[in-house]
Amino acid sequence: MIFYTDEESRTLRTAVYGAMLLVSHADPGPVLEERFAGLRALTHLSHDLRGVLGGARPSVPSGSDEEIEPVILEALRSSMKTLSAKSPEDAADFPRAVLAICREVAEADGVVVDSENAMVARIEGALAL
């Protein structure tokens, strides 16, 4: 088990739950379906990271989408740096897992629109080190 500080854990929660939120907001639709799809998709993450995410309430910033997007994208970048330093295996798997989670949120209503694809691309860019 890898130890993450409270701040690192909060940043990881902001990154993962925030990415789901951004994709969900990219195409307002069936929020509950999207939320459940995202939560089910957390199985893409390692056991250790699921433990970090389940260790406290989800951490997402408040405000308009324009205000929260840069905060969440920075949390994704920061999470990659933390994972690279502490768990190279998780760092290698984290982008794939987060993108899989985002795709499942986008596909929850059966239709993926351009705005969702664009948001997933921005998230993917933030995950690239």
Side-chain angles (χ1 to χ4, degrees), residues 23 27 30 33-34 37 40 99-113 116-117 120:
V23 173
D27 178 38
E33 286 179 30
E34 292 173 341
R40 282 190 308 271
L99 293 172
I101 291 165
C102 290
R103 282 190 205 92
E104 291 197 32
V105 170
E107 295 167 358
D109 64 355
V111 178
V112 179
V113 298
E116 289 170 314
N117 283 327
V120 171

Side-chain angles (χ1 to χ4, degrees), residues 26-44:
D27 178 38
V31 175
L32 280 179
E33 286 179 30
E34 292 173 341
R35 183 175 298 147
F36 288 131
L39 293 174
R40 282 190 308 271
L42 292 178
T43 59
H44 291 285

Side-chain angles (χ1 to χ4, degrees), residues 1-75:
M1 181 91 168
I2 297 162
F3 175 77
Y4 294 98
T5 67
D6 288 343
E7 182 179 340
E8 290 166 340
S9 295
R10 193 170 29 259
T11 299
L12 284 161
R13 285 190 297 276
T14 298
V16 174
Y17 291 117
M20 289 192 289
L21 182 71
L22 289 176
V23 173
S24 180
H25 285 193
D27 178 38
V31 175
L32 280 179
E33 286 179 30
E34 292 173 341
R35 183 175 298 147
F36 288 131
L39 293 174
R40 282 190 308 271
L42 292 178
T43 59
H44 291 285
L45 295 168
S46 72
H47 177 74
D48 282 348
L49 289 179
R50 286 194 311 270
V52 170
L53 266 60
R57 291 180 54 83
S59 241
V60 291
S62 59
S64 70
D65 290 346
E66 293 76 23
E67 293 169 328
I68 66 172
E69 181 179 335
V71 174
I72 294 167
L73 295 179
E74 181 53 38

